[in-house]
């Protein structure tokens, strides 16, 4: 950030990301320009909530003005629109931080995904949430006057940015006298925002926008009344105030009185999102604890979804008094995408994070909210099974990987979460994750008693795994797991609905009743016939393998590697190594296909047997996505063997 300071006024440069965002705003990526007012009112409401909470511990912060409200005013001649509140306000450092930078995780990813397509980019900006910066959709100059509650009048701050001037990449900050606490934002509107049907400088237009987007705001949104002036044949602004919105807690109203559009607009306020939610649930819980919950599932994942240090989601109120806006104790971490409000009648008004962490009441509310969200997802999944696949499929594509974390984090709801999981499988052989464990069980072969799966670093690696060959031949469905979190899932989910989950790449393969007696006898015979050969390979490979044995997993490949029943799988070992964590020491088992021509060819090999054994092992390692310890040695052996085979073929032809 660059600085040009004088005694009273300081000019600073915007953060690079803010400059880019402002340019997008100026060029009006939004098709719906009026949402700027919703964003400014939402911020003002948050400022009032924060003052009310801080004043619980220090009533002097009200400074004799505890009637918190938001005031909207316009001046048609000066082309200005003003949004003011008497909330918490900001000091100089907070002004620079909040209005000069985007302190939000995912900023780089956000800008890297902008494509230049206005419609797509508008959706991305909506997901990112820009709050104050939406002012520049309609204004070319913005002035902010603010003072933090509890500070002296002379400690007020004036912030200004003129995007129409030469210094469009800078803003100025100076101290300014301000008698009252709170923030006043003055928008100097562009010409196109004050003409025709886009004219924002009429009382009717402003009131209609407020009632459309901000009717649910808890604080009164106040404007001066207007009356018809016969002499001028126009509306005349009076000195009398009127409240434009309902100014009541939407979640406290009966569900029958709330329209769907009101639910959607409240979500955009509480979720800081520009798009409609996917689905929501609204309920009043009575009993030992009394509380109201209004919980939303967004339609799109936020950019900071994978930042485990970010805390946001559920706003906590006590008897409609705001307490905190990131009450992570009210929702388990694997449901961190849920947005909404919980309003309790039983918690103390001066509740702190420390009290929340130790409260039995909070544990009960958390359990109730978790149950409600999982029930909502089950309803969504049932509509998916009934033929409406759009909503749950959309949810899964956005939040499926996060929900999978719950299998290991929430033991009490593990079975319910497992029922909500979706996977890719060999049934459709596509990367789309749309197979539930219940659907898999419903398609199981007669006599099948296990749910089979394979894990790999990518979908293609899982789909083409040699371990699947016998399963494809017999038409047995296998789940294809290629997400990192899948290893966490299977380590915490040993069975579902009485059916054990079994890896096709671990232990000795026992298909049970899926094999007939003739197959079993043939396998036993081959194991005996090839005992000397497998012992010879084991001796050649030495410490690289735990065991070498004949397999019946393979129909097309010459060999594969499997993990012992009690060892960790190769994919998990690679993940731990990539993360810089030590993996338990274990050796793979090499299984060979006795009917494969390569195996038949080298069975009686003498001179180059060690090279052939090493190539067989290295090929099996590559086939399952592993890395070779000596890639150059592998290439050298392959080249040498190819040359010798060519010489032998030429000699035979001669």
């Amino acid at each position: 950030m660059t600085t040009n300071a004088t005694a009273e006024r300081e000019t600073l440069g915007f953060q690079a990301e803010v400059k880019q965002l402002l340019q997008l705003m100026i060029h009006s990526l939004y098709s719906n320009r009026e949402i700027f007012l919703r964003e400014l009112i939402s911020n003002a409401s948050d400022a009032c909530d924060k003052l009310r909470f801080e004043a619980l511990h220090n009533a002097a912060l009200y400074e004799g003005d505890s009637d918190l409200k938001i005031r909207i005013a316009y001046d048609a001649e000066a082309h200005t629109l003003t949004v003011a509140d008497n909330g918490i306000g900001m000091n100089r450092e907070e002004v620079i931080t909040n209005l000069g930078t985007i302190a939000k995780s995912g900023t780089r990813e956000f800008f890297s995904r902008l494509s230049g397509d206005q419609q797509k980019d508008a959706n991305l900006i909506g997901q990112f949430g820009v709050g104050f910066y939406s002012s520049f959709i309609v204004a070319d100059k913005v002035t902010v006057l603010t003072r933090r509650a509890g500070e002296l009048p002379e400690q007020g701050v004036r912030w200004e940015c003129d995007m129409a001037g030469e210094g469009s990449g800078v803003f100025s900050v100076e101290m300014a006298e301000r008698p009252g606490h709170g923030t006043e934002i003055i928008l100097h509107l562009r010409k196109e925002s004050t003409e025709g049907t886009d004219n924002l400088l009429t009382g009717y237009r402003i009131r209609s926008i407020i009632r459309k987007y901000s009717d649910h705001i808890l604080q009164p949104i106040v404007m001066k009344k207007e009356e018809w002036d016969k002499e001028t044949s126009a509306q005349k602004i009076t000195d009398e105030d009127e409240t434009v919105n309902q100014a009541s807690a939407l979640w406290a109203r009966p569900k029958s009185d709330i329209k769907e559009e009101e639910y959607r607009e409240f979500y955009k306020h509480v979720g800081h999102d520009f798009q409609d939610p996917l689905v929501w649930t609204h309920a009043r819980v009575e009993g030992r604890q009394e509380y109201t919950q209004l919980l939303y599932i967004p339609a799109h994942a936020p950019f900071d979804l994978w930042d485990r240090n970010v805390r946001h989601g559920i706003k906590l109120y006590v008897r409609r008094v705001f307490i905190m806006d990131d009450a992570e104790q009210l929702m388990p971490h694997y449901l961190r995408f849920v947005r909404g409000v919980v309003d309790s009648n039983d918690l103390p008004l001066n509740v702190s994070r420390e009290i929340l962490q130790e409260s039995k009441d909070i544990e009960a509310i958390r359990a109730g909210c978790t149950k409600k969200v999982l029930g909502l997802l089950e309803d969504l999944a049932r509509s998916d099974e009934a033929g409406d696949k759009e909503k749950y499929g959309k949810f899964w594509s956005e939040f499926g990987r996060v929900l999978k974390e719950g299998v290991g984090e929430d033991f009490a709801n593990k079975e319910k979460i497992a029922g909500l999981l979706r996977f890719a499988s060999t049934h459709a052989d596509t990367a789309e994750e749309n197979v539930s464990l219940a659907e898999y069980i419903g398609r199981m072969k007669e006599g099948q008693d296990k749910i089979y799966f394979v894990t790999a670093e990518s979908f293609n690696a899982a789909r083409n795994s040699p371990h699947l060959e016998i399963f494809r031949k017999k038409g047995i469905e296998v789940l294809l797991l290629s997400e990192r979190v899948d290893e966490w899932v299977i380590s915490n989910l040993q069975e579902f609905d009485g059916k054990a989950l079994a890896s096709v790449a671990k232990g000795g393969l026992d298909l049970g009743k899926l094999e007939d007696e003739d197959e079993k006898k043939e396998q036993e015979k081959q194991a005996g016939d090839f005992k000397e050969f497998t012992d010879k390979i084991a001796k050649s490979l030495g410490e690289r393998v735990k065991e070498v044995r004949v397999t019946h997993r393979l129909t097309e490949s010459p060999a594969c590697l499997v993990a012992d029943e009690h060892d960790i799988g190769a994919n998990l070992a690679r993940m731990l190594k990539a993360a810089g964590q030590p993996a338990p020491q274990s050796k793979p088992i090499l299984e060979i296909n006795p009917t494969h021509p390569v195996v038949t060819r080298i069975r009686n090999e003498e001179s180059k047997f060690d090279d052939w054994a090493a190539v067989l092992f290295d090929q099996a390692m590559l086939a399952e996505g592993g890395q070779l310890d000596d890639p150059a040695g592998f290439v050298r052996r392959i080249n040498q063997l190819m040359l010798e085979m060519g010489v032998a073929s030429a000699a035979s032809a001669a």
Side-chain angles (χ1 to χ4, degrees):
M1 182 178 292
T2 57
T3 303
N4 179 23
T6 64
E8 298 182 358
R9 184 182 180 94
E10 191 173 10
T11 301
L12 301 99
F14 277 115
Q15 183 188 38
E17 287 86 350
V18 176
K19 286 185 184 179
Q20 191 173 351
L21 185 58
L22 291 177
Q23 289 302 316
L24 292 171
M25 294 298 180
I26 292 168
H27 291 92
S28 302
L29 286 179
Y30 289 103
S31 58
N32 187 4
R33 295 156 62 84
E34 61 194 25
I35 52 83
F36 81 93
L37 189 56
R38 179 189 72 195
E39 289 301 295
L40 296 182
I41 290 174
S42 181
N43 288 348
S45 174
D46 288 345
C48 292
D49 281 341
K50 288 173 183 175
L51 176 58
R52 183 178 283 117
F53 176 62
E54 290 194 19
L56 290 173
H57 306 280
N58 182 10
L61 291 175
Y62 281 132
E63 301 175 10
D65 181 16
S66 60
D67 184 17
L68 302 182
K69 64 182 65 174
I70 301 165
R71 183 175 293 278
I72 311 293
Y74 70 95
D75 186 330
E77 292 185 5
H79 286 201
T80 60
L81 178 65
T82 302
V83 179
D85 66 74
N86 56 345
I88 192 68
M90 295 179 284
N91 58 32
R92 183 184 179 281
E93 289 73 22
E94 289 170 329
V95 166
I96 294 173
T97 298
N98 294 334
L99 306 187
T101 64
I102 300 176
K104 189 166 185 176
S105 176
T107 305
R108 289 184 182 275
E109 181 188 351
F110 165 68
F111 284 107
S112 70
R113 289 173 62 181
L114 292 173
S115 63
D117 182 314
Q118 289 197 357
Q119 185 174 357
K120 291 181 181 178
D121 288 351
N123 289 335
L124 280 174
I125 292 175
Q127 292 177 48
F128 187 65
V130 292
F132 168 77
Y133 298 115
S134 62
S135 303
F136 291 94
I137 296 174
V138 296
D140 51 22
K141 179 180 177 182
V142 177
T143 302
V144 179
L145 300 170
T146 185
R147 177 171 70 79
R148 207 179 201 288
E151 296 194 351
L152 299 174
E154 58 267 26
Q155 291 179 300
V157 182
R158 178 187 179 93
W159 180 99
E160 193 166 80
C161 175
D162 186 353
M163 296 300 291
E166 294 181 3
S168 60
V170 300
F171 60 90
S172 64
V173 181
E174 60 184 319
M175 305 306 289
E177 184 85 12
R178 183 169 171 80
H181 57 78
T183 301
E184 180 179 347
I185 300 174
I186 305 167
L187 307 181
H188 302 263
L189 301 183
R190 292 196 189 91
K191 186 177 180 181
E192 60 266 26
S193 299
T194 62
E195 296 177 336
T197 56
D198 275 342
N199 187 4
L200 294 167
L201 297 177
T202 67
Y204 174 80
R205 179 80 190 283
I206 294 171
R207 285 173 172 80
S208 67
I209 294 173
I210 293 171
R211 290 179 180 129
K212 180 178 180 181
Y213 294 113
S214 305
D215 205 42
H216 56 272
I217 294 294
L218 196 57
Q219 295 80 15
I221 302 174
V222 175
M223 291 183 68
K224 292 296 183 182
K225 276 187 176 180
E226 296 184 4
E227 60 184 26
W228 186 255
D229 188 337
K230 293 181 180 179
E231 294 182 6
T232 61
S233 296
Q235 290 292 114
K236 179 182 178 181
I237 299 175
T238 70
D239 292 329
E240 185 180 354
D241 286 343
E242 69 169 345
T243 299
V244 181
N245 64 323
Q246 289 196 35
S248 64
L250 179 134
W251 62 87
R253 291 161 49 192
K255 288 195 289 185
S256 58
D257 292 349
I258 306 173
K259 299 175 182 177
E260 284 202 1
E261 187 59 31
E262 291 180 283
Y263 276 122
R264 292 191 183 98
E265 290 307 322
F266 182 71
Y267 162 74
K268 292 171 184 176
H269 163 67
V270 77
H272 295 285
D273 197 348
F274 281 68
Q275 299 185 39
D276 289 339
L278 183 66
V279 68
W280 63 85
T281 178
H282 183 194
R284 178 172 176 78
V285 179
E286 297 179 341
R288 184 173 174 271
Q289 289 87 24
E290 291 190 5
Y291 60 94
T292 299
Q293 53 187 199
L294 176 52
L295 306 174
Y296 293 89
I297 295 176
H300 298 280
F303 283 89
D304 51 11
L305 181 66
W306 297 103
D307 186 347
R308 294 181 70 91
N309 295 319
V310 171
R311 298 186 309 185
H312 51 197
I314 306 301
K315 288 178 178 284
L316 174 63
Y317 286 77
V318 175
R319 294 184 286 281
R320 303 185 195 180
V321 175
F322 172 78
I323 301 299
M324 61 185 68
D325 61 2
D326 55 0
E328 71 274 15
Q329 295 91 343
L330 296 177
M331 196 66 68
H333 196 70
Y334 71 91
L335 295 178
R336 58 187 177 273
F337 51 84
V338 176
R339 301 289 183 264
V341 167
V342 170
D343 190 347
S344 171
N345 288 337
D346 301 322
L347 295 173
L349 274 175
N350 62 346
V351 65
S352 66
R353 292 192 185 280
E354 289 71 26
I355 294 175
L356 286 181
Q357 289 169 354
E358 301 170 0
S359 170
K360 294 292 183 184
D361 291 333
I362 284 294
E363 288 181 13
I365 293 174
R366 174 189 172 105
C369 289
T370 302
K371 182 179 179 181
K372 199 69 176 178
V373 171
L374 293 178
L376 184 62
L377 292 176
E378 285 180 327
D379 292 341
L380 216 56
R382 276 191 287 270
S383 70
D384 173 51
E385 292 164 5
D388 179 13
K389 292 184 177 291
E390 182 180 350
K391 278 195 171 181
Y392 196 75
K394 190 171 185 179
F395 161 78
W396 186 258
S397 67
E398 296 288 333
F399 303 108
R401 284 186 295 166
V402 182
L403 186 64
K404 285 179 178 179
E405 296 173 7
V407 173
E409 292 181 2
D410 189 351
F411 181 80
N413 292 298
K414 182 164 73 172
E415 192 75 8
K416 188 173 288 189
I417 298 167
L420 292 167
L421 302 182
R422 296 293 183 267
F423 304 95
S425 86
T426 56
H427 178 69
D429 234 15
T430 67
E432 185 178 1
E433 293 184 332
N434 57 8
V435 177
S436 69
L437 294 176
E439 286 175 320
Y440 180 99
I441 291 174
R443 289 195 292 261
M444 284 171 60
K445 294 283 186 180
E446 185 177 350
Q448 183 180 345
D449 60 356
K450 295 182 179 68
I451 299 171
Y452 293 105
F453 67 87
V454 64
T455 60
E457 290 186 331
S458 67
F459 169 74
N460 281 333
R463 181 188 181 192
N464 297 317
S465 170
H467 299 100
L468 300 180
E469 291 175 7
I470 189 63
F471 293 88
R472 291 190 183 278
K473 180 180 178 181
K474 290 181 172 291
I476 302 170
E477 186 175 0
V478 179
L479 301 178
L480 306 175
L481 311 184
S482 56
E483 299 284 357
R484 285 179 173 265
V485 70
D486 288 333
E487 291 285 358
W488 169 260
V489 172
I490 61 175
S491 66
N492 289 282
L493 187 66
Q494 283 74 44
E495 66 170 31
F496 179 79
D497 197 19
K499 306 292 184 183
L501 273 73
S503 171
V504 301
K506 288 186 70 173
L509 184 62
D510 180 11
L511 295 179
K513 296 179 182 179
L514 297 174
E515 294 177 314
D516 58 39
E517 289 301 318
D518 289 341
E519 285 180 320
K520 291 180 180 179
K521 289 178 181 178
E522 179 62 23
Q523 292 161 15
E524 292 173 1
K525 181 177 183 301
Q526 287 176 337
D529 292 345
F530 279 77
K531 181 69 167 61
E532 183 179 348
F533 178 54
T534 54
D535 288 347
K536 188 176 180 181
I537 295 177
K539 183 179 179 181
S540 175
L541 294 175
E543 292 299 311
R544 299 180 73 183
V545 294
K546 176 179 285 190
E547 180 187 350
V548 180
R549 64 194 182 200
V550 170
T551 186
H552 59 287
R553 301 174 200 262
L554 305 176
T555 61
E556 299 174 4
S557 301
C560 68
L561 296 177
V562 299
D564 202 0
E565 189 69 40
H566 303 294
D567 291 342
I568 68 169
N571 188 54
L572 179 56
R574 286 192 294 272
M575 285 172 52
L576 291 172
K577 186 177 180 180
Q581 299 182 22
Q585 291 295 322
S586 61
K587 299 174 186 176
I589 297 169
L590 177 66
E591 294 190 347
I592 61 169
N593 178 2
T595 63
H596 196 279
V598 170
V599 174
T600 305
R601 162 71 177 77
I602 67 173
R603 187 177 181 185
N604 299 313
E605 178 69 36
E606 294 295 340
S607 62
K608 291 290 183 180
F609 185 84
D610 288 344
D611 286 338
W612 279 108
V615 167
L616 209 60
F617 178 87
D618 288 344
Q619 282 184 335
M621 176 69 75
L622 290 172
E624 69 161 26
Q627 290 185 334
L628 302 182
D629 292 333
D630 183 13
F634 172 72
V635 173
R636 188 170 55 251
R637 288 190 192 96
I638 288 288
N639 290 339
Q640 186 62 36
L641 292 172
M642 288 171 63
L643 285 172
E644 292 189 4
M645 290 177 66
V647 170
S649 298
S652 175

